[in-house]
Amino acid sequence: MSHVLVPLPRRAAALVPVLPLVAVVALLALPPTGDGAVPADVVSALVVGYCVIRLLRERRRPLSPRAAVVLGLPVVGLALAAMGADSTAAGVGGMCRYLQVFVLVPAAVLVLLRGRADFRVLAWSFVGLALWQGAVGVHQYVTGTGASYQGETLRAVGTFGATDVMGMATAVSLGVVCAVGLALGRAPLRQRAAAAGCALVLVLPLALSFSRGAWIATVLTCSVQLALAGLRRALKAGAALVAAGVILMGGFGVGTAMLQERIDSITEVTDTPDSSVIDRYTLWAAATGMWREHPLTGVGLKGFPAYRDGHATLALSSGSEIDGAGETYHKQALLSPHNMYLLVLSEQGLVGLLTLAGSWLALLVCAVRGLLRVRRRGPGLDCGLIACGLLLWQLTDYLYGDIGGPSTVLTGVALGLTAWWALPRDERPAAGCRDEVPGRLEEAVAR
């Protein structure tokens, strides 16, 4: 039996279209520049521009009608909220950010990805970013050079710094979701074992991020992934995670007391909540107050800070304390409700919430339907698990966080992966199940 070997240059050439997206993810390994600019944001804009030029030259339709409707739905609420903003600059700036994350970057992923091989390359780039940021975070904890937490500079924040304490937690959590999906797929055993090992390794930096919202979202998402993959795999993976937790908490005693205190604080709603919980509930109340006064279109994009003091009670603190990880001590104003749904409701009203959440819900339904079609025998189980997991994680985490910070562009790429699986092009079979790299070249790239 003869074997056709694909030359290495052809293998590399087959991956060229996905490399710009990998570059966006990889650039998040760099810290923000001195003026606050994020290289990944700049490159994401260039990628979108490249897609536009490429589509114009090829004279082809960029998206299927269904994809255009689902991804374009948030534009309605954004346009109305931008017109209601206090200033033109605020309206335009806010709309550009929302369009970047929820419309343009996901659409670029849809255009550039050609098959499951490209999907997996991009998913592995998420895992690579998580490993790098996690390694930096663990080093910060061990050496006491992290962000301030309970008076000690030991909170793992990676290269994102103390001003974006959720950045590393987001990157690591999405890496865990991708690694779990890859481990539960039908790839060769070596690849699945490597993915499972990465997921277990990433548990440590995720714990040291002290991010309650990321913990809850990751546990829920991975549990759903395991359940969708099958009972046998769920039991094996669950046993491995329990063993990792025992080693982490008991064997090494990594931050046991602080982690336990942080976990206990999740349920401290009416007893003795810490200051961050009090601030969060105060901001949530302020957001709902804004919505009651402007129920349909909200107070306008980027309007929450201006209206906050008029709706917040005296329980709200002057700001969060920032220290460590290269930052000198200062107070950072609380300019958002730390809940994406309430942020959209307060600034964009019911119209904005229904259009944006409606787009996410449509993506989730389509992604789950595609996963159920391939769960037993179809190809792409790992892609389906990753696509559903990324969106589920984001929807859960949005109960405790919102848009903002250098890691935000990662959300756009993750939504693009979900959209690629959920909204296939017209010429592609349902659920994005076809690898569009032809023949033996497809097999070589997959290997």
Side-chain angles (χ1 to χ4, degrees), residues 286-296 298-299 311 342 345-346 349-350:
T288 56
M290 297 177 201
W291 167 68
R292 291 191 187 97
E293 292 185 1
H294 306 83
L296 290 180
V299 298
H311 295 81
L342 291 179
L345 191 64
S346 62
L350 280 175

Side-chain angles (χ1 to χ4, degrees), residues 311-374:
H311 295 81
T313 65
L314 295 177
L316 183 65
S317 67
S318 58
S320 58
E321 297 181 346
I322 304 298
D323 191 18
E327 293 283 341
T328 57
Y329 177 84
H330 65 278
K331 288 274 190 175
Q332 181 173 317
L334 302 172
L335 303 179
S336 72
H338 296 284
N339 181 301
M340 187 64 186
Y341 305 105
L342 291 179
L343 176 64
V344 174
L345 191 64
S346 62
E347 293 188 344
Q348 302 179 40
L350 280 175
V351 175
L353 182 63
L354 291 176
T355 53
L356 191 58
S359 174
W360 297 337
L361 182 59
L363 280 177
L364 184 61
V365 171
C366 293
V368 171
R369 288 179 59 189
L371 174 60
L372 294 178
R373 280 195 290 266
V374 304

Side-chain angles (χ1 to χ4, degrees), residues 398-409:
Y398 274 159
L399 292 170
Y400 305 92
D402 49 47
I403 189 173
S407 61
T408 300
V409 69

Side-chain angles (χ1 to χ4, degrees), residues 148-150 155 165-166 206-216 255-268 274-277 280:
S148 177
Y149 179 75
Q150 293 186 353
R155 185 171 189 175
V165 294
M166 285 297 299
L206 180 59
L208 298 180
S209 71
F210 296 103
S211 174
R212 293 167 294 199
W215 293 346
I216 295 172
T256 305
M258 289 186 175
L259 286 175
Q260 187 61 51
E261 182 179 345
R262 193 67 167 170
I263 293 171
D264 292 340
S265 70
I266 295 175
T267 59
E268 291 176 352
D274 59 30
S275 59
S276 65
V277 175
R280 191 178 301 263

Side-chain angles (χ1 to χ4, degrees), residues 27-279:
L27 285 173
L28 287 171
L30 302 176
T33 60
D35 56 359
V38 181
D41 282 328
V42 177
V43 174
S44 71
L46 295 176
V47 170
V48 171
Y50 164 72
C51 289
V52 172
I53 295 173
R54 177 178 170 180
L55 292 170
L56 290 176
R57 291 184 60 184
E58 297 177 357
R59 297 181 180 180
R60 65 184 176 92
R61 185 173 60 190
L63 304 174
S64 67
R66 182 172 59 172
V69 171
V70 172
L71 290 181
L73 192 60
V75 177
V76 178
L78 288 173
L80 292 175
M83 290 187 293
D86 289 342
S87 67
T88 302
V92 173
M95 187 169 185
C96 288
R97 188 58 161 169
Y98 274 94
L99 288 178
Q100 174 204 17
V101 177
F102 299 118
V103 180
L104 297 178
V105 172
V109 176
L110 271 177
V111 171
L112 293 177
L113 291 191
R114 301 159 306 155
R116 294 190 304 274
D118 287 354
F119 187 105
R120 293 181 183 114
V121 169
L122 193 53
W124 274 110
S125 72
F126 273 68
V127 178
L129 174 65
L131 290 172
W132 166 251
Q133 292 290 354
V136 174
V138 172
H139 178 267
Q140 290 170 335
Y141 177 86
V142 172
T143 59
T145 56
S148 177
Y149 179 75
Q150 293 186 353
E152 300 182 57
T153 54
L154 46 72
R155 185 171 189 175
V157 293
T159 64
F160 295 100
T163 57
D164 183 22
V165 294
M166 285 297 299
M168 192 209 76
T170 298
V172 171
S173 297
L174 295 181
V176 171
V177 171
C178 289
V180 170
L182 291 165
L184 295 175
R186 300 189 179 97
L189 178 60
R190 183 185 303 175
Q191 296 182 25
R192 288 187 282 118
C198 290
L200 292 176
V201 168
L202 290 172
V203 171
L204 176 58
L206 180 59
L208 298 180
S209 71
F210 296 103
S211 174
R212 293 167 294 199
W215 293 346
I216 295 172
T218 304
V219 170
L220 175 63
T221 300
C222 292
S223 299
V224 172
Q225 286 179 304
L226 291 171
L228 290 173
L231 180 60
R232 181 180 299 178
R233 284 182 174 146
L235 292 175
K236 290 181 180 179
L241 288 175
V242 170
V246 170
I247 294 174
L248 174 65
M249 300 291 292
F252 296 108
V254 178
T256 305
M258 289 186 175
L259 286 175
Q260 187 61 51
E261 182 179 345
R262 193 67 167 170
I263 293 171
D264 292 340
S265 70
I266 295 175
T267 59
E268 291 176 352
V269 178
T270 58
D271 296 333
T272 55
D274 59 30
S275 59
S276 65
V277 175
I278 295 174
D279 285 339

